[in-house]
Amino acid sequence: MTKPTPGKLAGLKAVSDKRGVIAAAAMDQRGSLQKSIAKERGGAATAHDLEEFKVHVTSVLTKHASAILLDPEFGLPAAKQRNNAGLLLAYEKTGYDANTPGRLPDLLDVWSVRRLKEAGADCIKILLYYTPFEDSTVNDLKHAWVERIGDECRYHDIPFFLETVGYDENGGGEKTLGYAKKKPEVVSGSMAEFGKERYGVDVLKVEVPVEMAFVEGTRAFKGEKAYSRAEALQHFRDAESMTHKPFIYLSAGVTNPVFIETLELSAESGTKFNGVLCGRATWYDGISIFAKQGAKAFEDWLNTTGVENINNVNKALQAATPWYVKFGVNSLEELG
């Protein structure tokens, strides 16, 4: 791989720990977080609620993270409370247009890579719902969209993190046995596609290639088998072989124990993943406390259970490999 440009290298260093592993917390949830707070409260959740929630998560958890992912809509006050951790900013609108087939993405109206960089971003993050099995006309739109963002990040010399989240193109849902069997190909195919140089992606933020509830012989196993443990381990290796780019895992809304076991399985497979961007697995259980007991009780919860959760992740991250090895070097210093 070509050595990163000065701006991209600086951005990658800013969001990594001293080992060169990306141990980042994710707090860019917007629509889903607002709904969750409102549901737990039995009433409305305001923009102020989202800002306050993000401030507390950021001020506590960035003491134990190399970086934080925030959104520019509600997360900029939190960005000021990040304890010198690196900053990734999201560039996409939350969710997708449910009235149009194909889960098409859209960018935030009053933001650009230039503006996100001016707001303090070390790296730019985009979420894209993607499956290689979708109609080619839909995927062609998505490919062009990612190319544009890649070129914008190249121009402004800032790292581009692309998060791909798979889905069932037939609308059958992602928690089914059928989708679990298909998921390895969805993840591997997404990594193969967006690892191509034309997209300008610097770090792939990916799902693990299995659905843990369907992996026989794991603590997360629910009784319906999509893969044996040995097959699951091979799926991790196969996904890794699809790209030479650095890649990190997202927690995809699972609980902390399930995510820890997921990272343990990846480690067992020998996969050289380069870190995590972990959100709900660290702070999700605190939503009801914030909604029902208020900000102070939530802060207390974060300082105990939240910190315990992120430390569990950090412990599992001992198995991660520094991203710089993907450039054929043995230290960050060799890159400049």
Side-chain angles (χ1 to χ4, degrees):
M1 273 175 67
T2 313
K3 183 179 159 182
T5 54
K8 286 187 181 273
L9 180 58
L12 289 170
K13 282 181 176 177
V15 298
S16 307
D17 66 15
K18 59 182 184 291
R19 284 201 303 140
V21 167
I22 297 162
M27 189 61 265
D28 65 324
Q29 286 76 4
R30 287 156 275 176
S32 61
L33 177 62
Q34 193 163 14
K35 284 176 192 162
S36 297
I37 294 171
K39 183 183 175 187
E40 291 293 339
R41 184 178 283 164
T46 64
H48 176 71
D49 287 323
L50 292 185
E51 288 183 3
E52 190 175 31
F53 190 93
K54 289 168 187 284
V55 163
H56 285 295
V57 168
T58 303
S59 65
V60 174
L61 297 188
T62 51
K63 293 171 189 168
H64 310 274
S66 65
I68 183 90
L69 165 63
L70 292 163
D71 59 280
E73 293 174 285
F74 307 103
L76 293 181
K80 295 172 184 160
Q81 308 290 328
R82 64 180 199 275
N83 298 297
N84 297 316
L87 178 63
L88 301 102
L89 284 178
Y91 187 16
E92 81 286 346
K93 287 183 180 174
T94 187
Y96 54 87
D97 181 0
N99 300 315
T100 310
R103 301 196 185 189
L104 295 178
D106 201 359
L107 295 177
L108 291 167
D109 291 333
V110 295
W111 289 94
S112 61
V113 168
R114 179 190 294 273
R115 291 180 179 198
L116 292 168
K117 194 173 178 179
E118 286 170 350
D122 295 304
C123 303
I124 305 298
K125 187 256 13 181
I126 287 289
L127 183 150
L128 176 69
Y129 289 95
Y130 188 82
T131 171
F133 299 105
E134 183 57 272
D135 188 277
S136 61
T137 55
V138 170
N139 279 350
D140 207 27
L141 288 170
K142 294 180 179 181
H143 295 162
W145 189 74
V146 175
E147 285 165 12
R148 280 186 217 117
I149 298 160
D151 285 343
E152 202 180 350
C153 289
R154 275 194 195 100
Y155 180 83
H156 290 286
D157 201 14
I158 190 168
F160 176 18
F161 281 56
L162 177 67
E163 173 181 1
T164 50
V165 175
Y167 64 95
D168 180 355
E169 75 283 3
N170 299 314
E174 289 72 57
K175 299 298 179 191
T176 64
L177 177 65
Y179 183 76
K181 289 178 176 176
K182 203 172 183 178
K183 188 178 180 183
E185 289 182 84
V186 173
V187 173
S188 289
S190 301
M191 290 174 73
E193 180 62 42
F194 294 108
K196 294 174 183 173
E197 283 308 311
R198 65 183 297 120
Y199 297 107
V201 174
D202 297 289
V203 177
L204 292 163
K205 181 186 175 191
V206 301
E207 298 175 284
V208 295
V210 296
E211 201 59 52
M212 289 295 287
F214 296 92
V215 183
E216 191 177 47
T218 61
R219 298 186 295 279
F221 185 53
K222 296 278 179 63
E224 218 176 359
K225 175 188 158 188
Y227 359 74
S228 67
R229 191 181 188 92
E231 287 166 341
L233 293 170
Q234 191 56 45
H235 288 317
F236 275 93
R237 297 180 199 114
D238 290 344
E240 179 187 23
S241 73
M242 291 293 166
T243 184
H244 57 283
K245 296 273 184 183
F247 68 93
I248 61 177
Y249 292 130
L250 58 112
S251 56
V254 301
T255 63
N256 191 260
V258 171
F259 190 52
I260 299 308
E261 187 177 23
T262 307
L263 296 179
E264 289 168 357
L265 201 64
S266 177
E268 188 182 330
S269 74
T271 300
K272 291 180 173 62
F273 71 103
N274 307 114
V276 296
L277 245 168
C278 174
R280 288 169 287 181
T282 51
W283 48 257
Y284 186 80
D285 291 341
I287 292 175
S288 63
I289 291 161
F290 176 82
K292 294 169 183 171
Q293 297 173 44
K296 179 66 176 74
F298 178 50
E299 189 178 13
D300 292 342
W301 180 90
L302 281 168
N303 273 304
T304 50
T305 308
V307 168
E308 186 183 328
N309 286 343
I310 199 166
N311 283 339
N312 288 340
V313 174
N314 287 337
K315 191 176 172 188
L317 275 179
Q318 291 305 308
T321 301
W323 56 262
Y324 57 73
V325 301
K326 299 286 171 84
F327 294 92
V329 298
N330 296 312
S331 71
L332 276 174
E333 289 68 36
E334 287 181 61
L335 287 175

